Amino acid sequence: MSRIPETSFTQCDGIDIAYQVIGDRGLLDIVYIPAFVSHLEVMWELAEFAAFLERLASFGRLITFDKRGTGLSDRIPGMATLEERAGDVGAVMDAAGSDRAAIAGWGDGAAVALMFAATHPERVSALVLGSLGVKVAAGSGAPLVPDPEVVRAMSDAVVSGWGRATFAAVVAPSRAEDKRFLAWYRRWERLSATPNAAAVLSRWMLEFDADPLLTAVQAPTLVLNRTDSLFDREAVRAVAERIPGAKHVELPGIDATPYVGDADAYLDEIQEFLTGKRGVCDLDRNLVTVLFTDIVGSTERAEQLGDRRWRYLLDEHHAHVRRLLDGFKGVEIDTAGDGFFATFDGPAHAVRCAAAIRDSVREIGLEIRAGLHTGEVERGGTAVTGLAVHVGARVAALARPSEVLVTTTVQTLVLGSGISFTDRGLHSLKGVPGRWRLFAVAGSQGFR
């Protein structure tokens, strides 16, 4: 999990609006308006979403918020008007000290972005629109109207089981069988809105009329869509045609959610549009310390406790690990079963975190083994690959119960840190050439 930025609050018409600012003020501010519902802090718990936001923030200072009625913002009675929702954008920009910004919105967030751009052109430097739920009414030159098929699909997903990730199949069908994603999405639904609030928001999609706003947009505009998502391709193209000078880009994919699927293709287009520069390469190479952990005797313990009690214990284990990763500036990359894979910028933080995890989970009756290695990795989207990853995993597999095992590289890099080690000799690592000298972390003093 990425470190969660601080959440602040401002008011618009007496309604508290939660917002975050990522990065320092510079030449470009970017306001990101999420689609449908959102939760500012839960979104950072999904690696894909965090990576999407972090790359947006690399183009400029990123400002994002929970729309009224969702997430950490105030719940409201009834249905907010488009004017009120656009007012929230201005209030958040004022609170963040932003006079002018590029506005990026998806779904109903795109409608809010359009309204703000049309009514406050002096405050909008550029407009990025994605996943617009519109269709062209019958007849040549007919107006664009809300697409009832899209609204029906959204409403049905809400009614059929809000809080059970039913919405994910509509907006992120490529991940409909991904257990890790669905576990996060269930939490995302529950904390972003109540079932009643989600139902009101889905009906709101039938109320707004984007057509009169399009010709009033003065800012340079980029309109994005994926070819096989639930949004009508011809209607999205028509939106771009009716906004003066707008650029329309259609990319392959079935997901409406921008951080799912080939998110980098979307971000490449946005980066080039906003900065004039395109991402040089999908892969980023850098030196990191990788940490792998695994629960000792998990199969036997699960059989002893039964499925339900084991699930509760596993959830508590995960909470301990995530709290410590956050405290030691680690980034969760993957969770497979009962193990964690995380990366750190510095090896000392990584070693101390591993030892703290070992000591912390003892309090709930669990033992872990952990392995660490420092080396160069490749990053492509949310994936982290390379020989260093394989080495770290193999080192963890050799660790004894409650042992934190590291390579010579890690041991050498933390000299002078006060961390002491016990030499565990030379070992062969499956699938990795050569013989590797390994060291066990001695003691846990000062690791909390």
Side-chain angles (χ1 to χ4, degrees), residues 12-13 68 82-92 112 116 120:
C12 183
D13 302 326
R68 57 176 66 199
L82 186 55
E83 181 180 356
E84 288 171 331
R85 299 179 88 190
D88 295 342
V89 178
V92 168
V112 175
F116 188 77
H120 297 280

Side-chain angles (χ1 to χ4, degrees), residues 409-439:
T409 309
V410 175
Q411 186 262 347
T412 302
L413 288 172
V414 300
L415 287 174
S417 67
I419 301 171
S420 57
F421 298 91
T422 301
D423 191 337
R424 288 265 274 108
L426 292 171
H427 296 263
S428 296
L429 305 181
K430 184 178 178 181
V432 180
R435 299 267 288 169
W436 293 72
R437 184 169 293 279
L438 303 181
F439 296 83

Side-chain angles (χ1 to χ4, degrees), residues 6 36 60 76 84 112 160 164 219 223 228 240 293 319 327-328 331 334-335 357 403 416:
E6 182 178 353
F36 195 44
I76 57 172
E84 288 171 331
V112 175
S160 66
R164 298 203 297 267
V223 180
D228 299 303
T293 70
F328 285 96
V331 177
D334 195 16
T335 307
I357 291 170
E403 188 173 59

Side-chain angles (χ1 to χ4, degrees), residues 41-353:
E41 298 188 354
V42 178
M43 65 189 183
W44 292 95
E45 295 176 5
L46 183 73
E48 295 92 320
F49 208 156
F52 178 84
L53 294 169
E54 286 167 351
R55 188 165 169 202
L56 273 181
S58 73
F59 310 156
R61 185 175 68 140
L62 181 64
I63 303 165
T64 188
F65 64 100
D66 285 333
K67 299 187 293 292
R68 57 176 66 199
T70 72
L72 295 169
S73 293
D74 271 346
R75 299 297 187 260
I76 57 172
M79 194 179 297
T81 65
L82 186 55
E83 181 180 356
E84 288 171 331
R85 299 179 88 190
D88 295 342
V89 178
V92 168
M93 287 178 63
D94 289 343
S98 177
D99 296 324
R100 199 161 182 257
I103 313 293
W106 261 257
D108 65 322
V112 175
L114 275 168
M115 181 68 174
F116 188 77
T119 54
H120 297 280
E122 76 285 355
R123 302 200 69 176
V124 180
S125 61
L127 197 59
V128 178
L129 307 173
S131 301
L132 282 153
V134 295
K135 67 176 295 184
V136 181
S140 176
L144 288 160
V145 297
D147 188 339
E149 292 185 12
V150 170
V151 177
R152 188 178 305 111
M154 294 171 62
S155 298
D156 288 349
V158 171
V159 171
S160 66
W162 186 253
R164 298 203 297 267
T166 51
F167 208 77
V170 177
V171 296
S174 73
R175 307 297 288 278
E177 304 297 327
D178 184 332
K179 292 182 179 180
R180 177 184 65 87
F181 179 79
L182 295 177
W184 172 84
Y185 209 93
R186 286 191 288 271
R187 177 172 163 79
W188 169 256
E189 286 184 352
R190 290 192 301 270
L191 296 185
S192 293
T194 64
N196 279 336
V200 168
L201 287 166
S202 64
R203 291 196 301 272
W204 183 90
M205 298 283 287
L206 283 172
E207 301 293 327
F208 83 89
D209 185 1
D211 202 56
L213 304 174
L214 302 180
T215 56
V217 173
Q218 299 178 35
T221 302
L222 173 65
V223 180
L224 296 165
N225 196 35
R226 286 184 174 138
T227 53
D228 299 303
S229 72
L230 74 161
F231 296 103
D232 187 288
R233 297 172 65 183
E234 296 307 316
V236 174
R237 183 177 291 108
V239 167
E241 290 172 351
R242 297 183 192 192
I243 297 175
K247 178 182 180 182
H248 173 243
V249 176
E250 193 174 66
L251 297 166
I254 62 174
D255 299 301
T257 302
Y259 55 84
V260 174
D262 189 357
D264 282 327
Y266 260 162
L267 290 161
D268 285 346
E269 295 293 341
I270 296 170
Q271 180 180 2
E272 184 175 33
F273 182 73
L274 296 181
T275 70
K277 299 177 182 178
R278 199 172 183 88
V280 177
C281 182
D282 288 340
L283 292 177
D284 180 30
R285 298 181 66 87
N286 65 312
L287 190 74
V288 301
T289 299
V290 299
L291 164 65
F292 284 86
T293 70
D294 181 53
I295 296 176
V296 176
S298 59
T299 302
E300 294 81 0
R301 195 67 184 279
E303 290 175 353
Q304 177 190 7
L305 294 176
D307 289 344
R308 179 175 295 184
R309 289 178 60 197
W310 173 245
R311 182 70 256 172
Y312 292 154
L313 183 59
L314 198 59
D315 287 346
E316 191 168 351
H317 163 269
H318 284 17
H320 278 252
V321 174
R322 287 180 172 130
R323 174 178 60 83
L324 289 166
L325 286 177
D326 190 47
F328 285 96
K329 301 180 181 179
V331 177
E332 179 184 335
I333 303 300
D334 195 16
T335 307
D338 54 25
F340 272 78
F341 168 29
T343 61
F344 296 78
D345 289 340
H349 272 150
V351 172
R352 290 192 168 100
C353 183

